[in-house]
Structures are given as C-alpha cells and as structure tokens.
Amino acid sequence: QVQLQESGPGLVRPSQTLSLTCTVSGVSVTSDNSYWSWIRQPAGRELEWIGRIYIRGTAKYNPSLTSRVTISADTSKNQFSLKLKSVTAADTAVYYCARVTLMPLAATFAPDALAQWGHGTLVTVSS
Amino acid sequence: SSDLIQPPSVSVSPGQTASITCFGDNLGEKYVSWYQQRPGQSPVLVISQDIKRPSGIPERFSGSNSGNTATLTISGAQPMDEADYYCQAWDSDTALFGSGTKVTVL
C-alpha cells in the first residue's frame, strides 16, 4: 500500500524559503513507473500543480512558479522535497505531495493520474 | 485561473444522475482524470484515462471525453458523493487542473 506524508514548518516568514518533505512508503521513489509531484490549494480555491520529479530524468515545474521552485529527492530516505523561495502571503495554502503513475505511450511513457496523495499540510506565510 | 473550465456547482437528488463537465481546447485529444475531494480531505482519484475506475471506486462513477469536453457522470448519486470534483489533464508534461465543481446531493 503506497502512502505519502508531508512534513515541514506550518509558518514561514515573507521573503523566506518554504521547505517541505514528503516521505513515501510502499514504493521506492526510484521506481521506473512513477513521477513524484507537489500540488497546493489555497483555502476555498482550486488545486494548483507545482511540479514533479522523476528520478531517472529531470524535474518539471509549473511555468508560473518555475523561477522560485526546486523539487529534489533523497533516495536513501525514500523522500522528495519542495523548496519555494521568496514567499508571500499568496503562497499560503495546503500543500500536498502525490504519486503520478506512468503509462506506456508509443516507444516511451507518459504521465497518467495522481494515484495517491498525502493528507496535506497547511503552510501559512505571515510575519 | 484554470485552463480547464468546470461549472461551479451541480445539484442532484439522491438516486438521480449528476453530470459534471470539463471544457478545454481539444481536450478530447488528451487523457482526463477526475478527483473527488470531500471537505477537509485530500483528493481521491475516481477516474483515469477518461473512463477507467481505480479499484475500490463504485461503478456509479463513469467518464467520457470527446471534442472539447470531458464528463464525469454519477449514476444514482448517494449522499456520500457530496464533494468537490476536479478534472485534470496533462499538457506538455505539465498538469492542468479544472476550476472545480461542488456537487450537492439533496
């Protein structure tokens, strides 16, 4: 059974860097058939995709956030992490980590669905 | 704002059918997934690849996708189906989410 759990500070000061970690169990983050993704949701608003990492490839980010975001992985701990720099109040949200399954497509593969999600963690940006 | 447009709300009586639409340019050329999010909970995948139900998802959930519109149908809606629903597709390896639809069962 695949499980994901977010962890990190619940309060971040404006202009500082938001850092979160997702601990994965039930599957290795080095799995060939998975992307590892971050998504956020401001209160009462829709879901926003932040980005993803594939252990055997590069990271990919939401174009609106790419200048501030870094997603990385620690295979020894079976974790992946999010760093979002220069935060403002607009970055206040519940942050989710999720596993994206991959499906075969022609001679390669493509992302399918966000099959498993963590419970989410609220991060507030405030002084 | 979202690239995938959904109606803000849909109401349905218990036992009746609810249809939730998701509109996007040439959406029928992409695979669409649907997620259910109950209040205070994380999203749960209910449909992938337009029509596939993951294990454990009731048969009353079904999907379709053609042209510019994908549709999630709940046949015989139950009170437990009251939730927000989001469509999602991939564009150039970037995930797009719909604006979300609140389904009320009453």
Side-chain angles (χ1 to χ4, degrees):
Chain A
Q1 181 183 3
V2 177
Q3 293 185 316
L4 300 93
Q5 178 66 60
E6 306 87 351
S7 60
L11 179 64
V12 181
R13 305 301 182 191
S15 80
Q16 300 300 302
T17 296
L18 179 160
S19 296
L20 295 174
T21 296
C22 182
T23 301
V24 179
S25 60
V27 65
S28 172
V29 295
T30 62
S31 167
D32 281 339
N33 66 351
S34 303
Y35 284 171
W36 303 99
S37 191
W38 287 97
I39 305 96
R40 70 181 182 179
Q41 185 175 35
R45 301 271 309 271
E46 66 265 30
L47 300 164
E48 179 182 29
W49 184 73
I50 299 171
R52 60 84 175 155
I53 188 168
Y54 178 55
I55 296 304
R56 305 192 187 282
T58 59
K60 181 84 172 180
Y61 303 125
N62 186 323
S64 69
L65 297 170
T66 190
S67 63
R68 299 195 292 132
V69 174
T70 302
I71 297 176
S72 60
D74 184 337
T75 58
S76 67
K77 296 180 180 178
N78 215 37
Q79 297 174 334
F80 64 105
S81 298
L82 168 69
K83 291 189 184 300
L84 180 66
K85 62 182 182 182
S86 305
V87 298
T88 70
D91 295 308
T92 295
V94 174
Y95 285 75
Y96 297 99
C97 59
R99 174 186 176 229
V100 180
T101 53
L102 305 180
M103 58 181 171
L105 184 65
T108 181
F109 57 85
D112 183 0
L114 290 85
Q116 289 94 25
W117 297 63
H119 292 297
T121 186
L122 174 62
V123 178
T124 301
V125 178
S126 175
S127 55
Chain B
S1 63
S2 302
D3 292 319
L4 301 178
I5 305 303
Q6 300 178 231
S9 62
V10 167
S11 294
V12 61
S13 300
Q16 298 304 301
T17 296
S19 294
I20 306 160
T21 55
C22 174
F23 177 87
D25 289 341
N26 301 311
L27 189 57
E29 298 176 2
K30 306 176 177 67
Y31 276 130
V32 173
S33 297
W34 290 90
Y35 304 88
Q36 176 194 68
Q37 186 178 33
R38 295 190 173 109
Q41 297 186 20
S42 53
V44 173
L45 176 67
V46 295
I47 293 288
S48 67
Q49 294 184 38
D50 297 338
I51 61 172
K52 293 184 176 181
R53 274 182 297 104
S55 174
I57 300 302
E59 292 184 7
R60 63 180 179 272
F61 289 91
S62 62
S64 63
N65 185 17
S66 179
N68 296 318
T69 305
T71 303
L72 174 69
T73 301
I74 309 174
S75 303
Q78 303 296 311
M80 67 176 67
D81 301 331
E82 190 161 289
D84 294 329
Y85 291 83
Y86 293 91
C87 59
Q88 180 262 319
W90 294 90
D91 184 16
S92 300
D93 207 17
T94 298
L96 306 176
F97 283 102
S99 48
T101 299
K102 181 176 183 60
V103 171
T104 301
V105 182
L106 47 70

